[in-house]
């Protein structure tokens, strides 16, 4: 936080103190420092543990593969890893293996990847979760009761523009 305050003062020097633009130039820098400050210790820790660049997590490749594997449907299903041998790999290498396999699937089947993206987009903006063993009727009703008013207010705000 001290670095952000120092940066704001340094950037602000170019504008007269009473100017309405005096603090505006510092905004992006303060935002950048504010975003990097909390994650930097974890990235440094990961570099020491994995001896590789893993800024936050080493499961992005696996997540990408879960959404782009031969059995993916666009929902949140998880599958066994269909012959991708990763048990003995360190986490960063495992992440790269899953990412490569997911990208291969996406490039070999671009139409299917596009259809999955449309399904995922619909699931993301759905006001209640898809029916599943873990999301019972009560869970869906609570989600709908909170999300539908938010969607209505957002639509009303867009309409007023």
């Amino acid at each position: 936080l001290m670095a952000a305050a120092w940066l704001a003062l340094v950037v602000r020097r170019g504008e007269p103190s009473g100017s309405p633009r005096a603090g505006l130039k510092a905004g992006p820098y303060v935002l950048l420092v504010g975003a990097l400050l909390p994650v930097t210790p974890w990235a440094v820790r990961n570099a020491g543990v994995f001896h590789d660049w893993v800024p936050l997590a080493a499961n992005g490749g696996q997540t990408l593969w879960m959404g782009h594997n031969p059995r993916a449907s666009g929902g949140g299903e998880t599958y066994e890893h269909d012959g991708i041998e990763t048990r003995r790999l360190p986490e960063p290498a495992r992440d790269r293996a899953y990412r490569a396999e997911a990208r291969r699937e996406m490039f070999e089947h671009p139409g299917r990847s596009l259809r999955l993206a449309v399904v995922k987009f619909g699931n993301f903006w759905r006001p209640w979760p898809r029916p599943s063993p873990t999301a019972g009727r009560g869970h869906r009703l609570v989600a709908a009761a909170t999300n539908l008013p938010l969607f209505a207010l957002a639509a009303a705000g867009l309409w007023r523009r």
Side-chain angles (χ1 to χ4, degrees):
L1 294 176
M2 290 301 291
W6 176 81
L7 188 57
L9 289 173
V10 169
V11 173
R12 190 176 174 171
R13 283 187 184 172
E15 293 287 334
S17 61
S19 169
R21 294 178 40 176
L24 292 180
K25 288 184 178 181
Y29 300 108
V30 171
L31 182 65
L32 180 64
V33 170
L36 291 177
L37 198 61
V39 298
T40 299
W42 192 254
V44 169
R45 174 255 181 214
N46 284 348
V49 170
F50 298 124
H51 306 289
D52 203 342
W53 174 245
V54 180
L56 292 178
N59 67 341
Q62 185 174 4
T63 302
L64 187 65
W65 181 84
M66 285 170 44
H68 295 279
N69 68 70
R71 293 186 290 172
S73 67
E77 302 89 359
T78 58
Y79 301 107
E80 289 303 314
H81 303 113
D82 288 346
I84 303 172
E85 185 53 51
T86 60
R87 283 189 295 256
R88 292 190 174 93
L89 293 176
E91 267 187 87
R94 185 179 322 145
D95 182 56
R96 286 190 290 273
Y98 281 120
R99 186 177 315 278
E101 197 60 30
R103 293 179 83 191
R104 184 193 58 74
E105 182 72 24
M106 292 164 69
F107 286 116
E108 286 181 7
H109 307 284
R112 182 170 184 277
S113 290
L114 185 60
R115 283 191 302 278
L116 286 171
V118 169
V119 170
K120 291 173 193 178
F121 182 83
N123 287 338
F124 181 81
W125 288 106
R126 185 186 193 106
W128 49 82
R130 291 173 14 135
S132 75
T134 58
R137 184 179 179 153
H139 180 78
R140 291 193 303 272
L141 288 174
V142 169
T146 56
N147 289 335
L148 287 174
L150 290 175
F151 285 8
L153 290 170
L158 290 173
W159 184 263
R160 294 180 86 182
R161 285 182 164 219

